[in-house]
Amino acid sequence: MRTRPLKVALLGCGVVGSEVARIMTTHADDLAARIGAPVELVGVAVRRPSKVREGIDPALITTDATALVQRGDIDVVVEAIGGIEPARTLITTAFENGASVVSANKALLAEDGAALHAAAEKYGRDLYYEAAVAGAIPLVRPLRESLAGDKVNRVLGIVNGTTNFILDKMDTSGAGYSEALDEATALGYAEADPTADVEGFDAAAKAAILAGIAFHTRVKIGDVHREGITEVTAADIASARRMGCTVKLLAICERAADGRSVTARVHPAMIPLSHPLASVREAYNAVFVEAEAAGQLMFYGPGAGGSPTASAVLGDLVAVCRNKLGEATGPGESAYTRLPVSPMGEVVTRYHISLDVADKPGVLAQVATVFAEQGVSIDTVRQQGKDGEASLVVVTHRAPDAALSGTVEALRKLDTVRGVASIMRVEGE
């Protein structure tokens, strides 16, 4: 074993960063044995130096992150500050000054991953980011390495623990969205400002990263169709149950049947209770990968939190340090297919549409005519009426999303349709 330690700089010492530092200290001997050399934490960049950080030598704390990554003797920089800037500049500066980078920054990678990979390649450095997607679940490396010889056609999963907790509570307790969100906040599953989670931004960033790796093409967060869960109601959950389904916020990345394009989307969807994703409870994540040779693979585990995310960071740190010792680099960006990302309107989906209609003869015929005119086939329909009011629930066969959207707009114009109570896609069948 080499006795000279590999030097590590840590950017950020919040929930994830502090756990990374703790594990590096408490498991130092094991890490050294697995790497083939000791690792030494030589600096920790923070915004508030006065905050007490147990287990971290105060002499390591600095507010000058730029000076830390410019030192020139750093082997690996662990970036755990998040956001676009200054993270982007600090990472590229680290490459320029001889360090490889381990990052947990999904937002930056989904927005500017191509440029970061290019910088890493230019300077001969590693860029690893297992922790950016699904916490402790090994997902990025299996896609990037284990399935490198296979053809991945679809990635489908639950990649945000906060939204899964909320939807699970709505399903199991009958709570409304606001009540379930309050519980998630009280338990620490939701941030004080939960927008990134509940509006689907977090899941969309992860979908962009997964689609890019799976399909060997460049996908940015702006290419991902995004819908959150704020409009999901207790009535939607009840409707799903009547269909033998539950509601999940899904990230779905697919290769087109002709292989000429890909799609990436995040939205709530009804899935059958028989589907394995339906049983993913509370704040857990699970992802299905469908490949031509390997078939269906499922990855399951905690998708967030300090310890799970730090586990992924440390796994990358070990891999990057091994590469350093071997004077090699791991796999970089693979975007050779250059496949375009199709708009949501071209995606073929099923819909569950709940309508408030007048309770009188001919309404169902009018509604069915609208579907036929838009080229959308009806799978099932259920009608209930009382005191001049009625509800009509329609489940369609698969059709282009644009046709289904056009159908909804045409339904709104019918005099007999009082309102569209809910619209939700149906997946997993």
Side-chain angles (χ1 to χ4, degrees):
M1 178 186 294
R2 193 181 86 166
T3 56
R4 182 168 61 84
L6 293 161
K7 296 183 178 182
V8 178
L10 176 61
L11 306 181
C13 198
V15 173
V16 174
S18 60
E19 191 65 9
V20 168
R22 184 191 68 79
I23 295 174
M24 284 186 65
T25 301
T26 57
H27 295 178
D29 291 342
D30 287 335
L31 291 172
R34 294 165 191 171
I35 292 168
V39 288
E40 179 185 2
L41 185 61
V42 298
V44 181
V46 300
R47 286 186 298 176
R48 296 187 295 274
S50 59
K51 181 179 177 181
V52 176
R53 295 172 172 87
E54 291 186 17
I56 297 178
D57 184 351
L60 299 179
I61 301 296
T62 177
T63 58
D64 194 343
T66 300
L68 180 59
V69 299
Q70 286 178 334
R71 278 179 41 165
D73 64 338
I74 303 296
D75 294 292
V76 184
V77 169
V78 175
E79 184 269 308
I81 56 178
I84 306 300
E85 288 291 356
R88 174 168 46 198
T89 299
L90 291 170
I91 288 173
T92 55
T93 302
F95 291 146
E96 293 168 3
N97 286 271
S100 289
V101 173
V102 173
S103 177
N105 195 333
K106 53 189 169 286
L108 177 58
L109 289 158
E111 177 63 33
D112 214 16
L116 294 178
H117 276 292
E121 183 177 1
K122 176 181 177 180
Y123 293 102
R125 314 301 176 206
D126 271 326
L127 174 62
Y128 276 52
Y129 44 89
E130 184 67 68
V133 181
I137 303 173
L139 187 57
V140 170
R141 198 170 302 160
L143 283 172
R144 198 157 72 158
E145 300 179 32
S146 304
L147 295 173
D150 207 339
K151 182 180 180 182
V152 176
N153 291 317
R154 194 170 194 238
V155 180
L156 165 74
I158 298 164
V159 296
N160 182 273
T162 301
T163 52
N164 198 59
F165 180 90
I166 292 170
L167 293 173
D168 182 50
K169 288 303 174 184
M170 292 176 69
D171 185 36
T172 57
S173 71
Y177 167 77
S178 296
E179 296 169 89
L181 174 59
D182 288 343
E183 184 175 353
T185 304
L187 293 172
Y189 292 127
E191 301 287 346
D193 179 1
T195 303
D197 293 321
V198 300
E199 293 292 357
F201 290 101
D202 175 85
K206 295 170 181 176
I209 295 169
L210 291 174
I213 299 171
F215 307 134
H216 302 278
T217 194
R218 287 177 177 169
V219 180
K220 299 178 70 172
I221 190 169
D223 298 320
V224 181
H225 174 82
R226 175 194 54 79
E227 299 172 27
I229 66 166
T230 55
E231 301 300 318
V232 177
T233 65
D236 292 327
I237 302 294
S239 291
R241 278 200 162 278
R242 284 193 290 269
M243 288 179 57
C245 294
T246 189
V247 177
K248 299 291 186 182
L249 183 73
L250 298 180
I252 305 171
C253 311
E254 296 176 304
R255 189 190 299 268
D258 62 8
R260 296 180 180 177
S261 64
V262 299
T263 61
R265 50 195 165 104
V266 168
H267 55 72
M270 295 181 178
I271 58 172
L273 293 175
S274 58
H275 194 285
L277 289 178
S279 62
V280 178
R281 304 288 305 278
E282 301 209 337
Y284 277 77
N285 285 190
V287 178
F288 266 92
V289 176
E290 298 176 9
E292 285 196 355
Q296 277 196 346
L297 307 172
M298 183 174 175
F299 301 83
Y300 171 84
S307 294
T309 306
S311 172
V313 169
L314 268 295
D316 279 350
L317 179 63
V318 169
V320 171
C321 286
R322 286 172 175 170
N323 291 344
K324 279 279 185 179
L325 290 179
E327 298 182 349
T329 56
E333 183 189 34
S334 175
Y336 72 93
T337 64
R338 296 182 175 86
L339 295 174
V341 182
S342 297
M344 186 63 190
E346 297 179 11
V347 174
V348 177
T349 63
R350 298 179 67 204
Y351 263 63
H352 172 282
I353 305 171
S354 180
L355 305 171
D356 294 326
V357 299
D359 187 13
K360 62 182 183 180
V363 172
L364 180 56
Q366 285 185 326
V367 169
T369 297
V370 168
F371 278 90
E373 290 173 346
Q374 297 292 327
V376 178
S377 175
I378 294 176
D379 182 14
T380 62
V381 61
R382 184 176 73 252
Q383 185 174 11
Q384 295 176 323
K386 183 180 180 181
D387 299 329
E389 298 295 331
S391 64
L392 194 63
V393 177
V394 178
V395 179
T396 72
H397 285 292
R398 291 170 63 83
D401 202 77
L404 290 161
S405 297
T407 300
V408 172
E409 290 306 308
L411 289 170
R412 295 182 193 275
K413 296 176 182 178
L414 292 178
D415 292 338
T416 50
V417 174
R418 306 289 171 77
V420 179
S422 68
I423 308 167
M424 192 168 294
R425 296 176 183 88
V426 181
E427 299 284 347
E429 294 183 327

